[in-house]
Amino acid sequence: MEVMDALNLGEFAQYFSKIPTFPLFDLAYYIVSILYLKYEPGSVEVSRRSPVASWLCAMLYCFGSYILADIMLGHSPIDYFHNNSHIILASAVWYLIFYCPLNLFYKCVAFLPIKLVLVGMKEVVRTHKIAAGVHHAHHAYHHGYFIMIITGYVKGSGVALMSNFEQLLRGVWRPETNEILNMSFPTKASLYGAILFTLQEVHWLPVSKSTLICIFTLFMATSKVVMTARHSHGSPFTLVESWVSHLLFGSPLAVEDAHNHHHTAPAAASAPASPAKSKEELSEGTRKRKAKKAE
């Protein structure tokens, strides 16, 4: 406690939790989200053929979590679209990423050092969304613990959960990429984060919300930055999840598979992209080859 008091960690956590996310952190969130949209197969072709469909897909990538959470809580799914400043900012990012001359904006934000900073900033927004979702559900359903968890989970990963609907707007139907069947790291982390924030909200977790926001943001930002820098699509939870799943449900251990995933990736490069990979990002070379074929 003396060390924490000396470092003023409590005050820092309090200050950090109250940092406004708009416009700086939200801008980073929109850039990374739409950047991942551009990596998706067929997204560039759709932007040329139907800008309206491309814009709708971009809005789902940016605001899908709010839309899904509003539907779940009985609100209008278009409520969030009254935030004109957010819609205009996200639309400007969409236009620059897809239509900027010479692809200059895309090349800048896709440059790895810049992208790592943006990815870390995006996780600040994700954590705040999870905490806000749990808090909102707590006021509507004071003793609905599972509702709090589900709402926080949706706020943190609603974009991924709506991915199949977004694919339909792009004329793609790949049900095997269902996020419930193939949960990516952000989706799993959003679920675990929603559980932690729910426990804190009902005072079962002896830690302040500001401290939890600070710690969870640090974990998420560090994990995503490292994974992005290493071009990894794995999960820090794999080892623990494998043993727990084996213990409780009799599932086969997947520790060795996760360990060998990086080594087997080159051999499987000619195979179709895996669901986890397709939801994060395709390689730039693959995207360009597909764009040339479409032309």
Side-chain angles (χ1 to χ4, degrees):
M1 289 295 295
E2 293 180 0
V3 175
M4 292 184 64
D5 292 339
L7 296 176
N8 291 323
L9 294 182
E11 292 182 9
F12 172 77
Q14 189 74 17
Y15 171 77
F16 180 81
S17 65
K18 292 183 178 180
I19 293 178
T21 60
F22 185 84
L24 193 59
F25 291 96
D26 283 320
L27 175 62
Y29 185 93
Y30 301 150
I31 290 174
V32 175
S33 297
I34 299 176
L35 192 62
Y36 285 154
L37 170 62
K38 190 166 184 176
Y39 290 143
E40 287 292 324
S43 62
V44 175
E45 292 81 356
V46 170
S47 69
R48 299 292 185 267
R49 186 173 65 251
S50 177
V52 173
S54 178
W55 180 82
L56 287 173
C57 290
M59 294 305 101
L60 284 179
Y61 262 70
C62 294
F63 309 115
S65 56
Y66 297 103
I67 295 172
L68 192 55
D70 283 340
I71 293 174
M72 290 176 52
L73 294 175
H75 304 305
S76 171
I78 62 172
D79 268 358
Y80 195 80
F81 283 83
H82 80 276
N83 295 304
N84 297 324
S85 55
H86 287 266
I87 303 301
I88 293 173
L89 183 61
S91 299
V93 171
W94 160 76
Y95 185 86
L96 289 172
I97 287 181
F98 281 96
Y99 303 105
C100 181
L102 302 178
N103 249 354
L104 289 179
F105 186 80
Y106 166 77
K107 292 175 181 177
C108 289
V109 297
F111 182 53
L112 187 58
I114 297 177
K115 184 178 178 181
L116 293 179
V117 175
L118 295 173
V119 165
M121 294 174 67
K122 178 182 179 181
E123 297 310 313
V124 176
V125 179
R126 189 194 305 274
T127 303
H128 279 76
K129 287 167 65 176
I130 295 172
V134 171
H135 183 72
H136 185 188
H138 177 68
H139 276 277
Y141 303 92
H142 195 67
H143 298 289
Y145 304 137
F146 288 102
I147 297 178
M148 297 179 208
I149 293 173
I150 293 171
T151 305
Y153 171 52
V154 167
K155 276 291 186 75
S157 60
V159 177
L161 296 174
M162 295 182 69
S163 60
N164 290 110
F165 177 72
E166 181 274 329
Q167 288 171 4
L168 289 177
L169 292 178
R170 289 189 284 114
V172 179
W173 176 241
R174 289 168 24 198
E176 72 278 2
T177 62
N178 187 311
E179 190 67 21
I180 300 298
L181 295 175
N182 302 283
M183 295 178 70
S184 59
F185 165 70
T187 305
K188 292 179 181 179
S190 296
L191 176 59
Y192 301 147
I195 294 173
L196 290 175
F197 280 103
T198 298
L199 293 176
Q200 191 282 326
E201 191 73 36
V202 298
H203 307 293
W204 288 357
L205 190 65
V207 63
S208 67
K209 180 178 289 188
S210 58
T211 301
L212 183 57
I213 288 176
C214 186
I215 294 174
F216 191 76
T217 301
L218 181 62
F219 166 74
M220 288 296 296
T222 303
S223 299
K224 282 294 294 180
V225 166
V226 171
M227 292 169 64
T228 303
R230 297 177 59 189
H231 302 285
S232 170
H233 304 285
S235 170
F237 307 125
T238 300
L239 182 62
V240 175
E241 288 175 343
S242 177
W243 283 101
V244 171
S245 181
H246 177 70
L247 179 65
L248 297 180
F249 308 111
S251 303
L253 290 173
V255 178
E256 187 172 349
D257 293 340
H259 176 75
N260 292 331
H261 176 73
H262 177 72
H263 301 286
T264 57
S270 60
S274 65
K277 186 173 183 179
S278 65
K279 284 179 182 145
E280 288 296 328
E281 56 180 281
L282 297 172
S283 67
E284 179 64 12
T286 302
R287 191 190 64 76
K288 286 183 177 180
R289 287 197 298 272
K290 290 188 177 182
K292 288 181 180 179
K293 290 181 180 178
E295 293 174 357

